[in-house]
Amino acid sequence: MKKIFLLFTGMLYCAMLFAQEYHLTGKTISHNGHPLTGAEVRIEGLKQVSKTNSEGLFNFGLSSPGWYRIQITLAGYKQLTRDIQLITTTKSLVFVLDPLVHQLDEVFVKDNLMEIRSKEESMNVETVKRDFLIKNLGGSLMKSLERLPGIKTIGIGSGQSKPLIRGLGFNRVVVVDKGMKHEGQQWGADHGLEIDQFATREVEILKGAASFVYGSDAIAGVIELKPPLIPLANTISGAVDLTGKSNNGFYGTSVNLDGRSNKWFFDSRITYQNYGDYQVPADSVHVYDYAVALKNGYLRNTAGRETNLHFTTGYVNEGIRSIFYFSNIYNKSGFFANAHGLEPRRVDATLHDASARDILMPQQEVNHFKVINRTDFKWGRHRFKVDLGYQHNFRQEFSAYVNHGYMPAIYPDYRQEPSDLEREFNKQVYSANFKDQIALGNHELSFGLNTEFQNNKISGWSFLVPAFRQISQGTFVYDKFKLNDQIWLHGAIRYDFGRIDMDRYDDWFPSQLGTGAAQGSAYLTRSSDLTRNFNSLVYALGMNFNSGAFSLKWNAGKSFRMPIAKELGANGVNYHYFSYEKGNANLSPEVSYQFDLGLGWKAERWSVNFSPFYNYFPNYIYLNPTATHDYFYGAGNQVFEYAQSRVMRYGAELQAKVNVFKGLTAEVLGEYLYSKQLSGDKKGYVLPFSPPASVLFNLSYETDLSPKLKEAYLSIDYRATARQDNIVPPEKKTAGYSIFNLQAGTKIQAGERWISINVQAQNLLNTKYLNHTSFYRLIELPEAGRNLILSVNIPITKK
């Protein structure tokens, strides 16, 4: 009996032992202690599966102790496998999952922002990126853009140029830099734009009337310069650009360094350029009737130096972005000595020809300082943008004192201005732009307010333009309405008010008046005090239609431009043009009516865009040459007077591109412009600086040569330009010409860096030709000869 009892008791104990339940519990967390939800937990050999809850916890009930292998998996984390020995009835552990890091192959991200913008904008918009500027690097940013149809420049030697859009330039083209209208002394053909093309990430060109957004001066269009992108978080990066040119011994460098923590960033750049006299394929030129010999084809005294400094800093988060831009552009360059002043015969050729790199008189020094703050933030449906800016443009022109009229033969000692300071312009500009964008259903509404104040002082022994103060204000409403997936409608209206106050200017020397016994002398008043107020109401209407491969856009609008101080009050010798210019205080604001059409077709292997336009001015302002010569106060130069007339213009641009086979593309870029004055003294003539028709043929091949040589390309341009027989005196007819340009380059891997190398051969055959829109066209000066350009970009990146 006793044995039976012991056997029963043992069996009961064993049953109790095996029937006892064991618990394995755990918690899954990330490396920074956060609980991980949804992790899948398995025990090898068992069918049990558990998932962690919101606190990262899981629990298994097991029937016996022993060794168990546990596996935990969660997307984005490495799988965890661990052997656990279970002895007690309950065991609780913490499991830390490591993030899963994949080493990805090189990823290329291609945006279609430009394509989207083109489909939604009714205006003719052209966008080029930095690689285009590098491949077509010219002496200035505007020269680099000249390859585009409808874009020309007024060249001023090798380092300065002014833009022309569809044959219109000066104060009819607005240049916007980092959201702020660039204001210098852009009224003169010899005054270039103080812009550093190495500091430009992207250039957007609007062709046609754009006053409804940008106000006065945007009659021909807008060239908007985009700032560099904000650096990636927690990185330091940069690049070194090196450039050399054969024609004028140019060498330069631009060094960039930027960085960002999380919300704060900086971007800095310094650019230095040094160039000598540039060379043309000619032994002599004629400055009007005087023959000037050139030593080895070099234009004496066209050398220059340029030093540019940029610094950007800002704060960025999801709700607000505020960025400060600081820049200072300094340029010192010479004027072609034989084409400036009163007597080209007086030029000391021996002195100038002694060195191709010295900068003698006549010369100019220009310094342009900018501070711009751009802030944008969101509030509900609204997106506000505020731009505040200050600019200081200081320009001095130096030339040996030469008397004419009743000026004293020797420069007086009592004068405060130095004897070699011909002219000085000191302009300060304060600007503010406010914009509110709001989306209401299919409407994208924009409300804007712009205001600007200019204060321009003058100095020097020569007078041409009076000192002035100018204020302009404008407000606009712009609506972009999406009718459906294919059609966008555009409408805008704007009101502007402007006021200009010009100061009286009296000669610093007396002039003789009368004859005989009544003869006397007086300090002549060259410009009287003048105050003018201007206002204008402008508008724009447009439409975009996109259906598959076909696109159509049209835009019609009215633009205006306030007369500038030179047009209202000039009264002096322009030594660059050997002319005596007189302003007209009664000029009315210039008005333009324009219609643009854009037709496009984009197939898989080819595309074509055709953009005709028509333009009418009821009161175009122009400088009218008269039959009079001023021998008393103008040294015998021909008198030019500002006048107004009705003008009609029309033209078109054509762009066609085809992919012949993989890597090989052919492109055609063409342009045509015709203008005619319908009234005034020059009725029947065209407008000055009207570019002739031209067409550019391009053949390009791109490929990867090897794993360490990528994006290699070879490209050749052939540009044919027609004769320009339609001129307005004193312009001269210009013969047609054709030139070849060659471009090649590649990216070379050096460690972790990809170094870009680009080579150009401009005017490959050293062709002698005249550019009708050149500043020096009137003296039969040909364009620069063959020019070999090498540019290298070395990136720097550190995480």
Side-chain angles (χ1 to χ4, degrees):
M1 188 69 178
K2 183 178 179 180
K3 291 181 178 180
I4 295 174
F5 175 77
L6 291 173
L7 178 63
F8 177 78
T9 304
M11 293 175 62
L12 181 61
Y13 175 78
C14 290
M16 291 177 62
L17 179 65
F18 284 102
Q20 183 175 351
E21 185 172 342
Y22 291 80
H23 291 276
L24 177 60
T25 64
K27 183 176 183 179
T28 58
I29 62 174
S30 65
H31 67 283
N32 54 10
H34 296 296
L36 298 175
T37 304
E40 186 176 88
V41 186
R42 292 177 179 272
I43 296 180
E44 191 174 289
L46 301 179
K47 294 183 178 180
Q48 296 185 62
V49 178
S50 178
K51 285 196 174 184
T52 59
N53 60 18
S54 60
E55 297 179 356
L57 301 175
F58 68 87
N59 178 44
F60 283 102
L62 302 172
S63 60
S64 63
W67 285 92
Y68 293 94
R69 174 165 290 182
I70 190 168
Q71 292 180 344
I72 305 176
T73 58
L74 179 63
Y77 292 85
K78 292 181 180 180
Q79 178 178 287
L80 184 147
T81 303
R82 185 178 296 177
D83 292 327
I84 304 297
Q85 185 180 17
L86 182 61
I87 300 176
T88 59
T89 57
T90 301
K91 189 165 188 174
S92 182
L93 299 170
V94 176
F95 301 93
V96 180
L97 302 189
D98 294 324
L100 183 62
V101 179
H102 290 289
Q103 182 66 41
L104 300 178
D105 293 332
E106 188 174 10
V107 177
F108 293 92
V109 180
K110 183 178 180 181
D111 68 72
N112 60 347
L113 183 61
M114 290 188 292
E115 183 177 344
I116 294 173
R117 179 157 166 73
S118 178
K119 288 183 177 181
E120 295 183 0
E121 284 293 333
S122 63
M123 295 188 64
N124 192 312
V125 180
E126 190 103 33
T127 303
V128 296
K129 293 185 177 293
R130 179 175 170 81
D131 58 349
F132 173 93
L133 300 177
I134 297 299
K135 291 179 180 179
N136 299 276
L137 193 65
S140 65
L141 174 63
M142 299 307 142
K143 201 68 178 176
S144 301
L145 297 175
E146 199 171 26
R147 188 179 183 275
L148 302 173
I151 307 299
K152 287 288 180 285
T153 62
I154 301 175
I156 317 165
S158 57
Q160 303 286 325
S161 61
K162 305 180 72 67
L164 293 173
I165 297 181
R166 293 173 171 174
L168 298 178
F170 303 98
N171 281 65
R172 296 180 180 91
V173 173
V174 168
V175 176
V176 177
D177 183 21
K178 302 175 184 67
M180 196 62 61
K181 182 178 176 183
H182 179 85
E183 291 285 5
Q185 304 292 342
Q186 60 263 44
W187 47 265
D190 55 310
H191 301 172
L193 292 174
E194 303 83 11
I195 297 293
D196 184 355
Q197 60 181 322
F198 288 101
T200 301
R201 167 182 59 93
E202 182 178 293
V203 182
E204 187 175 271
I205 302 168
L206 279 70
K207 302 174 186 176
S211 287
F212 67 92
V213 173
Y214 297 94
S216 176
D217 301 356
I219 283 183
V222 177
I223 297 176
E224 183 167 1
L225 314 178
K226 305 290 187 178
L229 294 173
I230 295 174
L232 296 175
N234 303 311
T235 61
I236 294 178
S237 62
V240 178
D241 288 283
L242 304 172
T243 308
K245 303 178 185 180
S246 65
N247 183 279
N248 60 348
F250 176 104
Y251 62 86
T253 183
S254 186
V255 181
N256 164 245
L257 182 67
D258 58 57
R260 178 179 169 186
S261 55
N262 185 17
K263 298 179 180 180
W264 291 93
F265 77 94
F266 78 94
D267 191 331
S268 60
R269 178 179 293 275
I270 179 171
T271 300
Y272 176 76
Q273 300 180 139
N274 187 307
Y275 52 92
D277 299 341
Y278 76 97
Q279 192 176 27
V280 297
D283 296 326
S284 63
V285 295
H286 282 78
V287 181
Y288 295 94
D289 296 329
Y290 180 66
V292 176
L294 302 178
K295 182 180 179 181
N296 300 324
Y298 284 97
L299 300 186
R300 51 186 62 93
N301 203 48
T302 54
R305 315 281 185 270
E306 185 173 315
T307 303
N308 307 325
L309 302 173
H310 306 267
F311 184 76
T312 301
T313 185
Y315 175 85
V316 179
N317 69 11
E318 295 181 359
I320 187 171
R321 173 182 300 185
S322 185
I323 304 173
F324 281 92
Y325 300 95
F326 302 86
S327 65
N328 192 79
I329 310 294
Y330 171 77
N331 174 272
K332 179 180 180 179
S333 58
F335 294 116
F336 178 31
N338 297 106
H340 180 96
L342 299 175
E343 282 292 343
R345 295 176 179 83
R346 299 186 183 183
V347 173
D348 188 340
T350 302
L351 175 64
H352 280 287
D353 293 340
S355 171
R357 306 200 74 88
D358 58 3
I359 305 174
L360 305 176
M361 290 191 292
Q363 64 177 250
Q364 62 176 341
E365 292 188 38
V366 185
N367 196 89
H368 195 104
F369 175 74
K370 285 182 184 176
V371 180
I372 298 172
N373 174 255
R374 308 196 71 186
T375 301
D376 63 86
F377 57 95
K378 295 180 180 179
W379 183 60
R381 295 184 177 181
H382 299 265
R383 182 174 182 178
F384 296 98
K385 295 183 178 181
V386 181
D387 297 336
L388 303 174
Y390 168 76
Q391 301 177 64
H392 183 203
N393 183 275
F394 186 66
R395 176 188 178 90
Q396 292 178 307
E397 297 179 9
F398 298 95
S399 181
Y401 174 74
V402 179
N403 69 309
H404 60 87
Y406 295 102
M407 297 172 63
I410 300 176
Y411 192 74
D413 293 335
Y414 63 81
R415 293 280 295 164
Q416 293 183 353
E417 294 87 351
S419 62
D420 60 354
L421 182 60
E422 181 183 329
R423 292 187 186 127
E424 179 181 286
F425 304 99
N426 188 352
K427 177 186 281 190
Q428 298 188 70
V429 183
Y430 303 85
S431 307
N433 302 324
F434 303 91
K435 188 176 181 180
D436 177 19
Q437 293 177 297
I438 181 171
L440 295 174
N442 289 339
H443 292 270
E444 293 184 16
L445 291 169
S446 297
F447 304 89
L449 174 67
N450 314 106
T451 183
E452 179 184 271
F453 174 74
Q454 299 183 28
N455 184 15
N456 195 32
K457 300 177 182 179
I458 64 171
S459 185
W461 54 260
S462 174
F463 172 77
L464 179 60
V465 180
F468 67 88
R469 290 159 305 284
Q470 177 177 304
I471 187 169
S472 57
Q473 296 176 326
T475 183
F476 69 90
V477 178
Y478 173 42
D479 183 21
K480 185 164 66 172
F481 175 65
K482 183 178 181 180
L483 187 63
N484 52 48
D485 290 337
Q486 295 180 324
I487 299 176
W488 288 81
L489 302 177
H490 303 257
I493 189 169
R494 178 187 179 101
Y495 176 77
D496 280 273
F497 170 81
R499 176 189 178 97
I500 185 168
D501 294 291
M502 298 193 305
D503 294 340
R504 172 174 171 165
Y505 180 87
D506 295 331
D507 275 338
W508 54 271
F509 55 90
S511 296
Q512 294 181 9
L513 301 176
T515 59
Q519 188 179 45
S521 64
Y523 292 89
L524 296 183
T525 298
R526 304 284 287 279
S527 177
S528 301
D529 287 326
L530 179 68
T531 297
R532 291 286 307 274
N533 294 321
F534 306 98
N535 62 80
S536 180
L537 187 69
V538 299
Y539 55 83
L541 297 171
M543 185 194 76
N544 282 71
F545 173 73
N546 301 281
S547 179
F550 176 72
S551 65
L552 178 148
K553 61 173 63 178
W554 63 263
N555 186 78
K558 174 189 175 185
S559 289
F560 93 108
R561 183 179 70 86
M562 288 174 51
I564 60 177
K566 182 183 179 184
E567 295 165 336
L568 294 169
N571 190 4
V573 178
N574 187 336
Y575 295 100
H576 304 283
Y577 267 125
F578 302 93
S579 62
Y580 191 93
E581 298 181 7
K582 298 186 69 174
N584 184 345
N586 298 316
L587 294 175
S588 60
E590 195 174 74
V591 175
S592 168
Y593 299 93
Q594 183 160 318
F595 180 81
D596 282 271
L597 184 66
L599 299 169
W601 188 280
K602 186 174 183 180
E604 183 177 355
R605 294 182 55 186
W606 62 274
S607 63
V608 62
N609 288 279
F610 180 61
S611 306
F613 65 91
Y614 178 84
N615 194 199
Y616 172 72
F617 289 85
N619 53 356
Y620 183 88
I621 301 174
Y622 68 103
L623 192 58
N624 180 37
T626 70
T628 305
H629 290 72
D630 193 307
Y631 292 96
F632 292 99
Y633 312 108
N637 286 292
Q638 185 179 8
V639 177
F640 288 69
E641 297 178 343
Y642 280 97
Q644 292 186 286
S645 68
R646 292 186 294 113
V647 168
M648 175 271 296
R649 304 168 65 253
Y650 62 82
E653 293 101 35
L654 174 69
Q655 295 175 286
K657 188 174 184 178
V658 59
N659 295 323
V660 182
F661 55 79
K662 183 179 180 180
L664 182 65
T665 61
E667 189 175 19
V668 178
L669 306 173
E671 57 189 342
Y672 172 78
L673 170 69
Y674 178 79
S675 63
K676 186 177 182 180
Q677 298 191 45
L678 305 178
S679 66
D681 293 342
K682 295 297 180 288
K683 181 179 180 180
Y685 286 99
V686 299
L687 294 177
F689 295 108
S690 292
S694 70
V695 60
L696 183 146
F697 300 93
N698 171 265
L699 198 63
S700 297
Y701 181 70
E702 298 184 11
T703 187
D704 291 337
L705 297 176
S706 72
K708 292 185 177 295
L709 290 175
K710 290 190 175 183
E711 299 180 33
Y713 69 92
L714 177 64
S715 177
I716 186 167
D717 289 344
Y718 170 72
R719 181 182 290 278
T721 302
R723 290 182 55 86
Q724 181 55 289
D725 292 327
N726 295 319
I727 60 171
V728 55
E731 288 185 336
K732 301 177 181 180
K733 295 182 179 180
T734 304
Y737 61 89
S738 58
I739 57 172
F740 287 91
N741 296 325
L742 187 69
Q743 304 93 21
T746 187
K747 288 185 176 180
I748 302 175
Q749 187 176 20
E752 297 181 353
R753 297 181 177 88
W754 286 92
I755 300 175
S756 297
I757 299 179
N758 299 275
V759 179
Q760 294 182 70
Q762 297 176 346
N763 193 2
L764 181 64
L765 303 182
N766 201 36
T767 302
K768 180 181 179 180
Y769 69 98
L770 299 175
N771 182 356
H772 189 73
T773 64
S774 171
F775 173 66
Y776 293 126
R777 169 63 188 93
L778 290 179
I779 60 172
E780 307 287 341
L781 185 65
E783 293 300 291
R786 183 186 299 111
N787 192 16
L788 303 179
I789 302 175
L790 172 65
S791 59
V792 180
N793 176 269
I794 306 171
I796 304 169
T797 303
K798 182 179 179 181
K799 292 186 178 180

